Amino acid sequence: MPTFDSVLVTGNQTINQDLQVNGNETVGGSMQVNNNQTVAGSLQVVGDQSVAGNFAVGGLILANTDALVFGSVDAGSTINAVYRLSAISRSTTPPGSFSAQQVRYYPAVMSGQPGLVLNGTDGNNYVLFVDVSSGTPNLGIMKA
């Protein structure tokens, strides 16, 4: 199989089999993947990205516009969404009754706290996570 130090494609590129990227991949326009995509390094998409299968990245995912994945996204590190990270499935209410819960605010800052990072109206980032320390699941929030 031929090996190249660099390849420049100024038009379209069609690959009927597998494409393996061991380093970084930058796409200036739109990218559509009809099966699975795995990137060992970082992937930056300046335009739109559409993946019909599964999407796995070992490093950072940065999408400046929309990234639409119909399968699952597995990131070993961070997924940054400049605008929104959305789940587009319709939620359903589970059967049975519910118990009244509260959102617990923790004023302490723990770096590296896993959870969903959201930007507050005050310009600070906050981490949203599930707190089960009392035995009952509650939403917890703290400054990131």
Side-chain angles (χ1 to χ4, degrees):
M1 176 159 85
T3 301
F4 303 97
D5 287 334
S6 30
V7 175
L8 173 64
V9 179
T10 57
N12 295 328
Q13 180 181 19
T14 301
I15 299 172
N16 291 327
Q17 293 295 321
D18 295 333
L19 172 65
Q20 181 178 352
V21 178
N22 291 327
N24 297 331
E25 178 181 1
T26 301
V27 178
S30 297
M31 179 169 72
Q32 180 178 351
V33 179
N34 292 327
N35 266 318
N36 299 332
Q37 180 181 17
T38 301
V39 179
S42 298
L43 171 66
Q44 179 177 2
V45 180
V46 178
D48 297 334
Q49 180 178 22
S50 174
V51 179
N54 295 324
F55 184 58
V57 175
L60 171 73
I61 300 172
L62 175 60
N64 288 341
T65 56
D66 295 330
L68 181 59
V69 180
F70 293 103
S72 62
V73 174
D74 180 12
S77 181
T78 302
I79 299 175
N80 284 337
V82 175
Y83 182 58
R84 287 185 183 166
L85 183 61
S86 300
I88 57 175
S89 298
R90 178 181 283 263
S91 299
T92 57
T93 304
S97 62
F98 65 92
S99 59
Q101 301 299 317
Q102 62 184 9
V103 176
R104 296 180 176 178
Y105 175 70
Y106 295 91
V109 176
M110 286 178 32
S111 63
Q113 169 72 22
L116 179 61
V117 177
L118 299 171
N119 190 275
T121 56
D122 59 357
N124 292 316
N125 287 334
Y126 293 89
V127 179
L128 197 62
F129 60 97
V130 177
D131 177 9
V132 197
S133 61
S134 67
T136 303
N138 290 285
L139 278 179
I141 188 168
M142 70 171 44
K143 257 187 183 177

